[in-house]
């Protein structure tokens, strides 16, 4: 009897613990599921928050590249970002939000141009067919040129000139629906990324006229000015190619290129080859043939170079590395930044001293740099800084072939405190003393310095300097322009604040076209005026100003 009872309780105990084990397993399973579910909910929540943050910062997730990286639609998103970091980073990471937006018409025109370049560019059947006709003596007076017409840019003169002329030739190509091809015999591909998606802007090395490009001059038989002089071009005689000589030494006949009647002839020529060292865009605005289109493209007239350069000219990763390393090291932590660009036009005795005096007179008069405290004020400034306010840091970026200007500024602000208590830090990336155009590293440094200057808050540049014109226009900055010294003396006033951020066309035509012959070009339209730094010479674009400068 006792054995039966024991067995009964034994079976009951086993059943109890079995049931308990199953319940425990069930509870463990439930708890595990709850924990996993909580983790999943937390993960989903974080993902949602990140997506919401991305939308808030970057706009719609429909595009991988945020709107601000594409500069308001100016740039296409058909490029691999890593292949050319500057295309996106230069505005997105290193510039303040731009007040200058491209017109919808300009954006549309650029997209149309990109498609045309892809159809007609190097390697296409259209390009191969067009090059075969270059050396033929066909007359295009009664022939249709077709969809694909070309303009070849020859690399010549310094880097500042080349950049200004690239923008000029590209705008002309945009207006006349030509394909722009650039001479790559120099270092253009070491400086800039390809600007057009799915094609190249580099003139192929097997271009039929490649060996002649460096020898073209005013005396070439197919130079447009020479053909006008010889009366060998007219509506019944159109050659397959023309050379355009748009340099500082151009003749009046060469400058007839800017006239409406001449453009009618030139438009029938399949190939144009241009050598230029001037920013000739202002004269395009004087041509009624282009004026209506230009106003639609650029409602803000002083933004022409600004938009074209941001679209067209993107430094290679090697150059961009120079820019970002210098910026992060010397400019990024400053409360204010000032760029000073000095172009040396003379090496006569005393030139350094009076230009240095001019820089100080300009920057201190315009409150761009603080004055140095006197001996008596120095102790007061030091005591005040130690007991009250935190001084501001002003970073000064100096670019010049000569280091003496930055050395003088650096020593001046190191030896004495400033009258305001602010700290001035002076930096010059390079000082190579001699311009070495076409040397790869020299040109890369020069381009990096132009971009660094364009990233400053304020800028002072030398009159007549294409380097300075590129730097301030690229940054959308209205500079203080240092007047060019005359007869070894510091000008008074030392500088002038620019009204327009556009570059200057230094040697414009002195004549008008047809009915306007003999009329001052600067009086034809209200938005083309004399350059501020040249007083009564040169032309540049302004936004409809009324008074003569």
């Amino acid at each position: 009897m006792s054995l039966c009872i024991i067995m009964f309780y034994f079976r009951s105990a086993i059943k109890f613990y079995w049931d308990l084990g199953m319940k425990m397993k069930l509870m463990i399973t439930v708890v595990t599921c709850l924990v996993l579910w909580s983790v999943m909910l937390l993960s989903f929540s974080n993902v949602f928050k990140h997506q919401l943050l991305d939308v808030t910062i970057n706009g719609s997730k429909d595009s991988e590249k945020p709107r601000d990286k594409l500069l308001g639609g100016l740039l296409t998103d058909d490029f691999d970002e890593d292949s050319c970091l500057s295309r996106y980073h230069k505005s997105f990471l290193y510039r303040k939000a731009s007040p200058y937006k491209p017109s919808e018409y300009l954006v549309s025109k650029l997209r149309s141009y990109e498609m045309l370049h892809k159809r007609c560019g190097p390697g296409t059947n259209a390009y191969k067919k067009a090059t075969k006709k270059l050396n033929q003596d066909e007359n295009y007076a009664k022939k249709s040129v077709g969809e694909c017409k070309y303009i070849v840019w020859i690399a010549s003169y310094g880097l500042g000139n080349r950049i200004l002329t690239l923008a000029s030739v590209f705008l002309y190509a945009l207006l006349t629906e030509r394909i722009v091809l650039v001479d790559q015999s120099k270092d253009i591909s070491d400086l800039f990324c390809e600007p057009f998606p799915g094609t190249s802007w580099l003139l192929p090395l097997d271009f039929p006229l490649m060996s002649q490009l460096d020898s073209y001059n005013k005396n070439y038989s197919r130079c447009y000015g020479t053909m006008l002089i010889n009366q060998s071009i007219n509506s019944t005689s159109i050659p397959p190619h023309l050379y355009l000589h748009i340099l500082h030494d151009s003749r009046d006949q060469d400058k007839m290129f800017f006239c409406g009647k001449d453009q009618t002839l030139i438009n029938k020529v399949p190939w144009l080859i241009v050598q230029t060292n001037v920013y000739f865009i202002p004269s395009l605005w004087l041509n009624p043939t282009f004026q209506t289109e230009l106003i639609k493209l650029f409602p803000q007239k002083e933004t022409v170079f600004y938009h074209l350069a941001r679209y067209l000219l993107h430094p290679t990763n090697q150059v961009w590395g120079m820019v970002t390393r210098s910026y992060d090291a010397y400019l990024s932590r400053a409360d204010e930044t000032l760029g000073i660009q000095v172009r040396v036009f003379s090496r006569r005795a005393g030139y350094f001293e009076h230009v240095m005096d001019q820089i100080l007179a300009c920057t201190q008069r315009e409150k761009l740099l603080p004055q140095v405290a006197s001996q008596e004020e120095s102790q007061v400034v030091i005591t005040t800084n130690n007991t009250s306010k935190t001084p501001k840091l002003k970073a000064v970026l100096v670019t010049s072939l000569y280091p003496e200007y930055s050395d003088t500024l650096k020593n001046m602000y190191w030896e004495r405190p400033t009258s305001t208590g602010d700290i001035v830090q002076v930096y010059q990336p390079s000082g190579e003393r001699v311009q070495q155009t076409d040397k790869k590293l020299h040109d890369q440094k020069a381009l990096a310095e132009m971009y660094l200057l364009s990233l400053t808050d304020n800028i002072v540049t030398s009159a007549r300097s294409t380097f300075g014109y590129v730097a301030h226009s690229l940054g959308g900055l209205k500079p203080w322009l240092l007047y060019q010294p005359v007869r070894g003396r510091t000008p008074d006033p030392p500088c002038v604040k620019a009204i327009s951020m556009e570059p200057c066309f230094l040697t414009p035509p002195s004549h008008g076209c047809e009915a306007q012959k003999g009329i001052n070009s600067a009086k034809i339209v209200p938005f083309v005026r004399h350059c501020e730094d040249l007083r009564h010479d040169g032309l540049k674009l302004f936004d409809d100003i009324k008074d003569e400068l």
Side-chain angles (χ1 to χ4, degrees):
M1 183 71 179
S2 59
L3 181 62
C4 291
I5 293 172
I6 291 170
M7 291 297 293
F8 171 78
Y9 280 109
F10 182 75
R11 285 197 297 268
S12 298
I14 290 173
K15 186 175 185 300
F16 172 78
Y17 284 106
W18 173 263
D19 292 341
L20 182 62
M22 292 299 292
K23 288 178 180 177
M24 289 294 291
K25 286 181 179 180
L26 181 62
M27 288 180 64
I28 290 170
T29 301
V30 170
V31 170
T32 301
C33 288
L34 288 172
V35 171
L36 289 172
W37 180 247
S38 299
V39 171
M40 289 173 65
L41 282 175
L42 181 61
S43 176
F44 177 80
S45 174
N46 286 337
V47 170
F48 178 77
K49 285 179 180 178
H50 284 282
Q51 289 178 337
L52 184 61
L53 182 62
D54 284 348
V55 170
T56 303
I57 295 174
N58 300 331
S60 171
K61 291 293 288 182
D62 291 340
S63 171
E64 291 182 3
K65 297 180 177 63
R67 188 76 175 160
D68 48 8
K69 280 191 178 183
L70 299 179
L71 306 180
L74 192 69
L75 303 179
T76 176
D77 62 358
D78 292 341
F79 282 96
D80 170 31
E81 184 168 337
D82 292 338
S83 67
C84 188
L85 296 172
S86 68
R87 190 187 307 278
Y88 304 101
H89 291 185
K90 65 173 178 273
S91 182
F92 181 61
L93 297 176
Y94 292 93
R95 295 196 195 282
K96 297 174 183 176
S98 173
Y100 309 108
K101 305 301 179 186
S103 68
E104 290 183 8
Y105 188 70
L106 173 60
V107 171
S108 172
K109 192 83 171 179
L110 291 172
R111 297 295 86 82
S112 297
Y113 175 83
E114 289 161 3
M115 290 188 288
L116 180 64
H117 198 110
K118 195 176 292 187
R119 289 194 299 272
C120 301
T124 62
N125 289 331
Y127 172 81
K128 294 172 185 176
K129 184 178 177 181
T131 54
K132 287 179 181 178
K133 299 178 180 179
L134 264 172
N135 288 317
Q136 298 174 5
D137 289 325
E138 292 185 80
N139 185 352
Y140 280 81
K142 296 182 179 179
K143 285 191 174 187
S144 172
V145 175
E147 182 185 32
C148 300
K149 298 182 295 181
Y150 300 85
I151 183 166
V152 176
W153 171 87
I154 300 176
S156 59
Y157 292 84
L159 185 59
N161 301 83
R162 293 183 184 184
I163 290 174
L164 294 177
T165 60
L166 272 171
S168 302
V169 171
F170 176 68
L171 180 56
Y172 178 75
L174 205 63
L175 292 169
T176 57
E177 297 184 332
R178 287 183 179 271
I179 305 303
V180 64
L181 297 174
V182 302
D183 172 18
Q184 61 168 316
S185 62
K186 305 300 191 292
D187 56 8
I188 192 77
S189 59
D190 295 316
L191 298 174
F192 299 109
C193 305
E194 290 276 6
F196 313 126
T199 184
S200 176
W201 71 337
L202 299 176
L203 181 69
L205 295 175
D206 62 356
F207 179 64
L209 303 180
M210 180 63 78
S211 62
Q212 303 174 40
L213 293 186
D214 287 339
S215 62
Y216 282 136
N217 56 50
K218 291 183 287 189
N219 298 319
Y220 178 52
S221 61
R222 284 187 174 164
C223 173
Y224 184 60
T226 299
M227 294 188 82
L228 287 179
I229 293 171
N230 296 335
Q231 298 182 343
S232 56
I233 185 171
N234 53 53
S235 58
T236 61
S237 178
I238 306 293
H241 77 272
L242 273 179
Y243 165 63
L244 304 172
H245 189 83
I246 310 176
L247 295 166
H248 60 282
D249 64 347
S250 294
R251 304 158 296 188
D252 283 347
Q253 291 85 356
D254 297 308
K255 293 178 182 179
M256 293 302 289
F257 162 80
F258 298 109
C259 300
K261 182 179 177 182
D262 295 75
Q263 278 299 315
T264 302
L265 276 180
I266 292 169
N267 195 47
K268 297 177 181 178
V269 180
W271 286 88
L272 300 179
I273 299 166
V274 58
Q275 183 174 200
T276 177
N277 64 349
V278 291
Y279 182 72
F280 61 75
I281 284 177
S283 281
L284 296 179
W285 285 74
L286 298 176
N287 187 332
T289 308
F290 300 136
Q291 199 175 105
T292 302
E293 182 81 349
L294 284 166
I295 290 171
K296 289 167 65 179
L297 288 168
F298 303 101
Q300 291 176 288
K301 298 169 187 66
E302 63 175 290
T303 64
V304 177
F305 181 82
Y306 177 74
H307 288 316
L308 291 179
R310 294 201 311 161
Y311 169 75
L312 196 65
L313 304 171
H314 309 288
T316 58
N317 286 353
Q318 185 173 354
V319 176
W320 191 239
M322 295 179 185
V323 174
T324 56
R325 285 189 295 273
S326 293
Y327 183 90
D328 292 340
Y330 299 100
L331 302 180
S332 62
R333 296 172 183 81
D335 297 296
E336 293 179 22
T337 56
L338 172 67
I340 300 177
Q341 179 263 338
V342 186
R343 171 75 163 90
V344 174
F345 290 97
S346 172
R347 296 182 185 178
R348 70 174 69 184
Y351 187 89
F352 166 76
E353 287 79 8
H354 66 249
V355 172
M356 193 67 240
D357 291 343
Q358 182 182 5
I359 293 169
L360 291 174
C362 175
T363 55
Q364 294 180 355
R365 187 189 73 168
E366 302 297 335
K367 310 298 183 188
L368 298 171
L369 284 178
Q371 293 186 339
V372 174
S374 65
Q375 193 73 40
E376 296 75 22
E377 294 172 323
S378 295
Q379 189 58 47
V380 176
V381 172
I382 294 170
T383 303
T384 303
N385 281 350
N386 288 337
T387 57
S388 59
K389 66 172 186 174
T390 302
K392 285 184 178 180
L393 173 61
K394 293 194 173 189
V396 182
L397 173 74
V398 179
T399 66
S400 174
L401 286 174
Y402 300 92
E404 287 87 349
Y405 300 101
S406 63
D407 287 345
T408 300
L409 282 173
K410 194 180 299 181
N411 290 333
M412 186 176 79
Y413 286 110
W414 180 57
E415 292 168 359
R416 295 269 184 88
T418 63
S419 58
T420 60
D422 293 335
I423 296 171
V424 177
Q425 185 179 62
V426 182
Y427 166 61
Q428 180 169 344
S430 69
E432 304 199 351
R433 296 195 174 274
V434 178
Q435 186 170 325
Q436 304 169 59
T437 300
D438 292 335
K439 286 196 174 180
K440 175 182 172 180
L441 186 57
H442 178 85
D443 282 348
Q444 287 180 326
K445 288 179 181 178
L447 180 58
E449 291 183 7
M450 289 180 192
Y451 269 86
L452 280 168
L453 284 169
S454 78
L455 298 174
T456 57
D457 298 320
N458 291 301
I459 189 169
V460 176
T461 66
S462 297
R464 302 184 67 91
S465 171
T466 56
F467 190 112
Y469 290 159
V470 170
H472 73 69
S473 301
L474 193 61
L477 301 169
K478 294 180 180 179
W480 280 265
L481 295 158
L482 296 167
Y483 285 120
Q484 190 170 343
V486 179
R487 291 185 290 277
R489 289 182 295 183
T490 299
D492 185 20
C495 60
V496 61
K497 178 68 183 290
I499 300 170
S500 165
M501 63 189 188
E502 270 286 290
C504 179
F505 182 3
L506 293 170
T507 55
S510 57
H511 61 80
C513 295
E514 300 164 30
Q516 281 114 16
K517 265 189 180 176
I519 297 177
N520 186 340
S521 298
K523 294 183 179 295
I524 298 173
V525 292
F527 43 80
V528 178
R529 284 295 198 244
H530 290 305
C531 308
E532 304 98 331
D533 51 332
L534 304 187
R535 305 188 190 226
H536 302 295
D537 197 7
L539 293 179
K540 69 186 291 188
L541 289 162
F542 295 81
D543 276 318
D544 294 321
I545 62 170
K546 303 299 181 186
D547 300 321
E548 177 72 21
L549 294 170

